Each structure stands twice: as structure tokens, then as C-alpha cells.
Amino acid sequence: MAQTRDLRRRIKSVQSTRKITKTMELVATSKLKRAQDRVIAARPYAAALAEVIGDLYAPELAERFPLLRQPSGKSGAHRRVALVVITANRGLCGAFNANLIREARHRIEQLEAEGVGIDLHLIGKKGISYFRFAKRPAASQRTDIGDKPKAEHAAEIVGPLMAQFESGALDAVEVVFAQFKSAVSSPPTTLRILPIAPPRPAEGGGGRQRVANYILKPSAEAILEQLLPLYVRNQLYRALVETAAAFLGAQRTAMKNATDNAGDIIELLQRTYNRARQAQITQELAEIVGGAEALKG
């Protein structure tokens, strides 16, 4: 009797868990569509910005803008890199946060092996908790962005980093984020957003850059002065929205798997309960028959 009671209690418990995971799966699915729309909307704008900057870029202009300053290639103890690590505020998303933290650790090890100093900027509670546990100090922390990042968030984060880069306090700014390819594929990626990489010559063009037929007013210098910070902010904004969409995709997949597993466990427990109940009924019938025979004797 005690065994069947325990089995009934376990079945009810797993059924309650399945309701929770199913609800979380549906919520993540509804949010994922809007997050995908934000990702899709951000990509053409970033591509257009990159194209315009590529058309306006010239070596003589690059020397006038600190955001285009490329590293000299000389390694030294004074070199510093700002590493922005984007994770989620919540769990229940499989190995999503663990993969991002692993990518960040790998990049930190690479930079430290080259003798580069690192300023760690953490976005998301999971990354903050891990690096606090690892006793690695962070230059800044943010937990208020969530799964609906805005362009203002990107500007607040990258603004001080651009100022440090322009002053020479930083040699590069890199971002660790989840590149959203689909709801089931979001590999962790490290992207260097500063210095802005010069455009590559088109293939088959004999090393010559494509020249756009622009009538510039104001001058290219004035346009680049406005576009370069905008491009850097947009790069970080893309990283934020892609990580948010990737988190929702990972959470939906994890909750679907949990719901399916809960269904399998319920089915197994139900069969076990039926066998135990059948055995109990058989034993009771045997006791009744045995008692009746004893009374006859």
C-alpha cells in the first residue's frame, strides 16, 4: 500500500513539473518571434553602415580617426583589451551560459598568454556569478538589460570604452556573445569591435577598392566622425539582440526536452503503479480465497 501511495505522489509531482516546463516552453516560443524580428531588423542596418564606411574609407582619413587606429603589432605589458562578456540573467536554457563562459575563458587565456592586460565587462547575472566565484575582478557589471535590449543600452556600455580607446588606455575592445543563426544553433563567438577593421578589397578586383559614386556634403571626414561611433554602438547592439534571441531559443529547446522527458517518466511511473496495484489486488484476492478455504476446513 505504501509503495502505490509513493508512486501516486511521484506521478502528481512530475505532472506538476511538466505543466511548468510546458508553460515556460510556450512563453519562450512567443518571445522568440519578437526577438528574431529584432535580430533581422538590426542586420541590414549594420550591413549598410559597413558598406558606407567601406566606401568612404581611405588610408589618409584613417590616420585622423582614433577609432580606426590599428595595433602596431608590438607586444608589451602596457597593452590592454576590454572584453565584454554577454550572458543571460536566467538559467533553464541547457548549456547556453556555460558555452559563453567557456568561450570567454578561452579568450582570456589566449590574451594572457600574449601578455595582454584584460578589463572584464560583464553583462548578465550568470557571467557575473561565475567570474565572482572564480575571483576575477570586473571593471563593470550590468544586470538590467534582460531579453529586450535597446540601442540606449549599447550606447551606455560602449561609450566609455570608445573614450578609453580614443585616449590610448585601451588597444582593443572585444565582445563574447551568442551568434544567432537559428533557434537551435547559436554558437558562442568573439567579435572585435574596436579598432574598426578597414574594408577588404573586393576579390578579383586586382586589389583595388570599389569606388562609390557619392556626392559628399559635408566632407567625408565629417560623415565618418558621425558614422564610426554609430557603427561601434550598432555592433554591440547586434551582439545584445542576438544573444537575447539565442537565449530564448535555447530555453525553448531545453523546456521542450524537459517536457518530453517528464512525459516519459510519467508513462514509466504509471506502468510501475499499475503493476504494483495489480500485484496488490492479486495478493488481496489470494488472502480472501485462503481465508475462505480455512473456514471450510
Side-chain angles (χ1 to χ4, degrees):
M1 187 68 179
Q3 183 184 8
T4 56
R5 188 183 300 117
D6 291 340
L7 286 170
R8 283 200 303 270
R9 188 181 300 115
R10 287 188 62 189
I11 290 172
K12 289 181 180 179
S13 175
V14 177
Q15 285 175 339
S16 299
T17 303
R18 184 172 65 173
K19 289 179 182 178
I20 295 172
T21 57
K22 184 63 177 178
T23 302
M24 293 185 68
E25 177 192 348
L26 295 175
V27 171
T29 301
S30 64
K31 289 183 177 180
L32 178 60
K33 179 62 172 65
R34 292 190 292 271
Q36 282 179 310
D37 292 340
R38 285 192 289 269
V39 172
I40 294 171
R43 284 174 176 169
Y45 182 67
L49 273 178
E51 182 180 355
V52 173
I53 291 174
D55 291 335
L56 297 179
Y57 178 86
E60 59 273 12
L61 290 178
E63 297 175 358
R64 306 178 193 175
F65 296 97
L67 296 182
L68 292 170
R69 185 188 73 245
Q70 300 301 312
S72 60
K74 298 178 181 179
S75 60
H78 64 279
R79 291 180 57 201
R80 297 201 69 80
V81 171
L83 188 65
V84 182
V85 182
I86 305 175
T87 58
N89 284 332
R90 293 170 290 159
L92 299 177
C93 53
F96 175 79
N97 290 307
N99 291 337
L100 287 169
I101 291 172
R102 188 181 300 112
E103 175 72 14
R105 286 179 53 195
H106 178 65
R107 186 56 184 155
I108 289 171
E109 292 170 359
Q110 285 181 332
L111 292 173
E112 289 180 339
E114 298 171 2
V116 178
I118 301 170
D119 291 342
L120 202 57
H121 300 266
L122 303 176
I123 302 172
K125 293 181 181 179
K126 293 301 178 179
I128 293 172
S129 300
Y130 172 80
F131 285 104
R132 183 184 296 133
F133 173 77
K135 293 182 171 39
R136 179 174 286 274
S140 68
Q141 301 177 358
R142 293 288 297 264
T143 60
D144 58 330
I145 295 177
D147 55 9
K148 293 181 179 179
K150 300 179 181 178
E152 291 80 6
H153 294 142
E156 292 170 2
I157 295 167
V158 83
L161 299 180
M162 284 194 291
Q164 293 180 48
F165 182 82
E166 290 176 340
S167 67
L170 291 174
D171 291 282
V173 178
E174 298 182 355
V175 182
V176 176
F177 69 103
Q179 184 181 11
F180 183 80
K181 293 185 176 180
S182 68
V184 295
S185 176
S186 53
T189 307
T190 301
L191 173 67
R192 175 165 289 190
I193 61 175
L194 282 175
I196 298 174
R200 297 178 180 178
E203 294 182 6
R208 291 180 301 174
Q209 210 174 296
R210 179 176 62 87
V211 179
N213 186 18
Y214 286 144
I215 299 175
L216 300 178
K217 188 177 181 180
S219 63
E221 294 92 330
I223 296 173
L224 280 176
E225 187 177 357
Q226 298 295 323
L227 285 186
L228 291 177
L230 188 61
Y231 177 73
V232 176
R233 289 194 293 268
N234 184 261
Q235 289 285 87
L236 184 60
Y237 174 69
R238 275 188 59 198
L240 290 172
V241 297
E242 292 203 20
T243 302
F247 164 74
L248 292 172
Q251 187 177 63
R252 187 188 71 169
T253 302
M255 291 300 98
K256 183 180 186 308
N257 292 337
T259 302
D260 295 341
N261 291 338
D264 295 339
I265 293 173
I266 290 172
E267 184 179 350
L268 177 62
L269 289 174
Q270 194 66 52
R271 285 201 303 265
T272 306
Y273 172 79
N274 291 339
R275 292 194 192 101
R277 181 62 179 156
Q278 185 178 11
Q280 183 180 355
I281 294 172
T282 302
Q283 182 181 359
E284 291 173 355
L285 288 174
E287 291 174 355
I288 293 172
V289 171
E293 292 295 329
L295 291 175
K296 287 181 183 180

